Amino acid sequence: MNLEQLNPKKRFSSRTQNYSKYRPDYPNEIINYLQEFIGLSKTSVIADIGSGTGICTKTFLDNGNTVYAVEPNEDMRQVAEHLLKAYDNFHSIDGSSENTKLKSKSIDIITAAQAFHWFDPKPTKEEFLRILKPNSVVVLLWNIRNAKSDGFMQDYLKLIQKYGESYTNDSTNDFIPKFFDNRTVHKKVFPNPQLADFDRLKGELASFSYIPTESNPNFQPMISELQDLFKKYNNYGNVVLEYETHLYYCKVK
């Protein structure tokens, strides 16, 4: 299935509220790491491409950076504009990875969080090279469930595999080196566990685009199984969603 069929710019519209409320954020340690290894400073100008509801954008706004949040989905963009309206250094852009509407050579660091696999590689690469200043860096981020964990996470992943619809077979081992023309790509993994009551667990599950919606006949059986998992594994009303934040960076100019 190609990107056009997957409709990445609109497929999250019905999940915007769950996405903004329940998706995990990013650990503060990534700021220290990027300060050390790519020279991130408070004066660095960031373009957060595929910024969604602003989860990653906020991480850099809190560091004092000017951030241009580029998002093609109107519903997600409006949520970010509401949540981040207090930040003077926040700029919301109705654009995409292929057409950011940003000035040439205006950006120090490009970030893409939970979004890079949705981009059309060739026009995106051309656009990134256009907007980046010399000696600039692209940073990619994903929050990924820890598949090596036992207990709750193993059973939760089995539930997702049972009810989720596969949407891509791509692997970061393949498309990241290809996108960067086999330049050196650095990787760092950060633990990012999330404490979740049942409402958060249900909301986070429903935020994923490959999970059945409430109108789907599989939704209620899925939620019933999720309730059984929660009853089995919760500790004083919470379970731990064991996430890891995978960070990649590459100097592209």
Side-chain angles (χ1 to χ4, degrees), residues 138-249:
V138 174
V139 176
L140 309 177
L141 292 162
W142 281 275
N143 279 320
I144 296 176
R145 303 179 194 95
N146 185 356
K148 297 178 181 178
S149 181
D150 295 326
F152 167 73
M153 284 301 292
Q154 278 294 323
D155 286 346
Y156 182 50
L157 288 169
K158 289 177 184 176
L159 182 145
I160 291 170
Q161 290 164 2
K162 178 179 178 179
Y163 289 100
E165 299 173 1
S166 180
Y167 62 95
T168 178
N169 292 319
D170 286 338
S171 166
T172 53
N173 293 328
D174 179 33
F175 64 77
I176 289 180
K178 189 182 298 183
F179 181 86
F180 291 115
D181 299 321
N182 292 312
R183 293 182 177 91
T184 300
V185 178
H186 303 269
K187 180 181 179 181
K188 177 71 173 178
V189 177
F190 301 85
N192 193 19
Q194 306 286 312
L195 199 63
D197 61 14
F198 183 75
D199 286 341
R200 177 173 183 182
L201 182 64
K202 177 183 175 182
E204 196 231 28
L205 180 64
S207 75
F208 292 98
S209 63
Y210 46 84
I211 291 297
T213 60
E214 291 190 29
S215 61
N216 189 305
N218 286 327
F219 182 81
Q220 284 305 326
M222 178 185 72
I223 295 304
S224 293
E225 289 190 31
L226 187 69
Q227 288 174 322
D228 291 340
L229 280 184
F230 186 80
K231 288 177 184 177
K232 179 179 179 180
Y233 287 108
N234 87 88
N235 185 27
Y236 296 102
N238 290 286
V239 292
V240 178
L241 287 164
E242 295 187 35
Y243 273 100
E244 295 176 334
T245 299
H246 289 217
L247 181 152
Y248 302 79
Y249 75 86

Side-chain angles (χ1 to χ4, degrees), residues 43 45 104-109 128-137 252-253:
T43 61
V45 178
S104 296
K105 299 180 181 179
S106 62
I107 299 300
D108 296 304
I109 300 168
F128 282 13
L129 291 172
R130 184 187 69 80
I131 66 175
L132 282 170
K133 299 175 184 177
N135 300 311
S136 297
V137 175
V252 297
K253 287 183 74 175

Side-chain angles (χ1 to χ4, degrees), residues 2-134:
N2 62 35
L3 280 175
E4 185 176 352
Q5 290 173 306
L6 291 169
N7 196 17
K9 294 174 183 175
K10 294 184 179 179
R11 67 182 287 140
F12 288 95
S13 293
S14 64
R15 305 173 190 267
T16 300
Q17 293 303 320
N18 281 327
Y19 198 109
S20 64
K21 190 173 182 179
Y22 298 115
R23 283 290 186 101
D25 54 10
Y26 298 93
N28 291 331
E29 288 81 4
I30 70 170
I31 295 296
N32 296 333
Y33 179 81
L34 294 174
Q35 287 171 343
E36 180 177 357
F37 287 97
I38 71 169
L40 171 71
S41 70
K42 294 183 185 301
T43 61
S44 300
V45 178
I46 312 290
D48 188 19
I49 312 298
S51 52
T53 59
I55 297 172
C56 177
T57 300
K58 185 177 185 299
T59 301
F60 290 92
L61 291 173
D62 287 339
N63 188 52
N65 297 106
T66 294
V67 183
Y68 293 89
V70 179
E71 173 54 52
N73 185 294
E74 181 178 1
D75 297 294
M76 300 188 87
R77 194 172 61 252
Q78 287 180 350
V79 169
E81 289 169 356
H82 173 71
L83 294 175
L84 303 175
K85 61 185 177 182
Y87 292 88
D88 293 335
N89 48 343
F90 167 65
H91 305 279
S92 180
I93 308 291
D94 178 6
S96 66
S97 66
E98 315 96 74
N99 181 19
T100 64
K101 301 180 182 177
L102 297 172
K103 294 180 180 179
S104 296
K105 299 180 181 179
S106 62
I107 299 300
D108 296 304
I109 300 168
I110 287 174
T111 59
Q114 308 293 138
F116 182 73
H117 53 290
W118 297 117
F119 299 165
D120 189 352
K122 187 176 185 298
T124 295
K125 187 186 301 184
E126 293 171 355
E127 181 70 348
F128 282 13
L129 291 172
R130 184 187 69 80
I131 66 175
L132 282 170
K133 299 175 184 177

